[in-house]
Amino acid sequence: MNMPDDERLRTLGLWPVWHLRAAAVEPISSPAPVTAGVGQYRQAVAGADDIADMDLEALRQAVLSCRRCLLHETRTQGVFGVGDINADWLIVGEAPGAEEDRLGEPFVGQAGKLLDAMLVSIGLTRGTNLYIANVLKSHPPGNRDPKPDEVAACIPYLERQIDLIRPKIILAMGRFAAQSLLVTGDSISRLRGQAHRYRDVPLVVTYHPAYLLRNPADKAKVWDDLCLAKSLLMLDAA
Ligand code: URA
């Protein structure tokens, strides 16, 4: 039976949760055309060896004072990540936006509000069994796309966060998170809907909440992705 997306969400009890209460939607940059993936630019960068030995506090301090790419010249502060350091769930986004740059925490703007609603729909709340981080720790000016050299410079921080947190499931939100972690140039539509692995950790790709703000009809696909992630986690626990 073909059901409209709104009705499907309502049937699943998601619609009120997924509806954004705030009226104003901050301007967000259009998605770049999918061409070469950022994943292919991942490479060893000078100093990454030190990062691989750091504990979480040293890593946090390193991010706060990081000058590994030019973004440090324009950012307000490094945005490390937030949540339960023993979490099963790791959510990976792209880069801090303007609000995150101001407050020093990932996903606190409009996209973050939608992310919180998405998480509530599968029984998760910020700070409990959940850690949130980005590929880039510094805000790209004007919310432009991350550049390959910025991803290459910053990815060792995320890799070390994953090593230390040892999540049981990773949800990669958006093209940059997916391509960077899976080292691929494949489009998000090819990558979503299946189980991947980052090293030995199951990984599910889904749309970025900022994309969903512009394309609410795709929320149903994200619901499917969240359910896939949850079932992989339950499989792992069984
Ligand atoms: N978008 C992201 O990818 N990360 C954030 O922290 C905020 C918006």
Side-chain angles (χ1 to χ4, degrees), residues 19-30:
H19 228 353
L20 269 186
R21 274 171 288 276
V25 174
E26 70 189 18
I28 35 180
S29 57
S30 317

Side-chain angles (χ1 to χ4, degrees), residues 79 92-97 100 105-109 111-112 132-134 173 208-210:
V79 178
V92 180
E94 177 179 315
E100 290 76 18
E105 184 174 327
F107 283 104
V108 287
I132 306 177
N134 284 310
M173 291 190 317
H208 192 284

Side-chain angles (χ1 to χ4, degrees), residues 138-151:
S138 298
H139 171 52
N143 272 352
R144 65 157 170 75
D145 285 344
K147 293 181 182 170
D149 62 313
E150 293 161 355
V151 173

Side-chain angles (χ1 to χ4, degrees), residues 139-189:
H139 171 52
N143 272 352
R144 65 157 170 75
D145 285 344
K147 293 181 182 170
D149 62 313
E150 293 161 355
V151 173
C154 216
I155 197 85
Y157 292 125
L158 178 62
E159 290 176 336
R160 186 62 183 149
Q161 280 175 309
I162 297 174
D163 284 349
L164 290 165
I165 295 166
R166 299 164 58 95
K168 297 209 170 80
I169 183 80
I170 298 174
L171 188 66
M173 291 190 317
R175 173 165 77 92
F176 282 91
Q179 293 181 340
S180 304
L181 287 172
L182 296 174
V183 196
T184 179
D186 284 355
S187 70
I188 193 146
S189 49

Side-chain angles (χ1 to χ4, degrees), residues 9 48 83 101 103 105 118 134-135 154 178 183 212 219 224:
L9 290 175
D101 180 57
L103 296 174
E105 184 174 327
M118 288 161 56
N134 284 310
V135 174
C154 216
V183 196
L212 285 185
K219 285 177 182 175
D224 290 341

Side-chain angles (χ1 to χ4, degrees), residues 6-195:
D6 291 3
E7 205 175 318
R8 190 172 169 204
L9 290 175
R10 201 172 281 111
T11 309
L12 292 165
L14 288 176
W15 183 248
V17 177
W18 286 62
H19 228 353
L20 269 186
R21 274 171 288 276
V25 174
E26 70 189 18
I28 35 180
S29 57
S30 317
V34 176
T35 50
V38 289
Q40 67 185 286
Y41 298 102
R42 254 174 39 154
Q43 55 193 253
V45 173
D49 284 351
D50 300 343
I51 293 174
D53 291 335
M54 289 178 184
D55 64 18
L56 264 182
E57 184 48 31
L59 198 61
R60 202 176 71 83
Q61 292 303 333
V63 163
L64 297 186
S65 59
C66 183
R67 300 165 66 91
R68 287 166 64 82
C69 77
L70 290 179
L71 290 177
H72 77 270
E73 291 180 353
T74 48
R75 70 164 186 224
T76 305
Q77 56 189 314
V79 178
F80 181 59
V82 70
D84 176 357
I85 57 171
N86 299 307
D88 287 343
W89 287 81
L90 174 68
I91 311 285
V92 180
E94 177 179 315
E99 202 57 8
E100 290 76 18
D101 180 57
R102 195 171 67 80
L103 296 174
E105 184 174 327
F107 283 104
V108 287
Q110 203 67 21
K113 289 193 182 111
L114 180 56
L115 172 63
D116 287 345
M118 288 161 56
L119 295 173
V120 165
S121 76
I122 52 163
L124 290 171
T125 47
R126 210 174 261 249
T128 307
N129 200 20
L130 174 74
Y131 196 91
I132 306 177
N134 284 310
V135 174
L136 291 195
K137 309 305 190 199
S138 298
H139 171 52
N143 272 352
R144 65 157 170 75
D145 285 344
K147 293 181 182 170
D149 62 313
E150 293 161 355
V151 173
C154 216
I155 197 85
Y157 292 125
L158 178 62
E159 290 176 336
R160 186 62 183 149
Q161 280 175 309
I162 297 174
D163 284 349
L164 290 165
I165 295 166
R166 299 164 58 95
K168 297 209 170 80
I169 183 80
I170 298 174
L171 188 66
M173 291 190 317
R175 173 165 77 92
F176 282 91
Q179 293 181 340
S180 304
L181 287 172
L182 296 174
V183 196
T184 179
D186 284 355
S187 70
I188 193 146
S189 49
R190 276 186 75 101
L191 293 171
R192 61 162 295 280
Q194 49 183 305

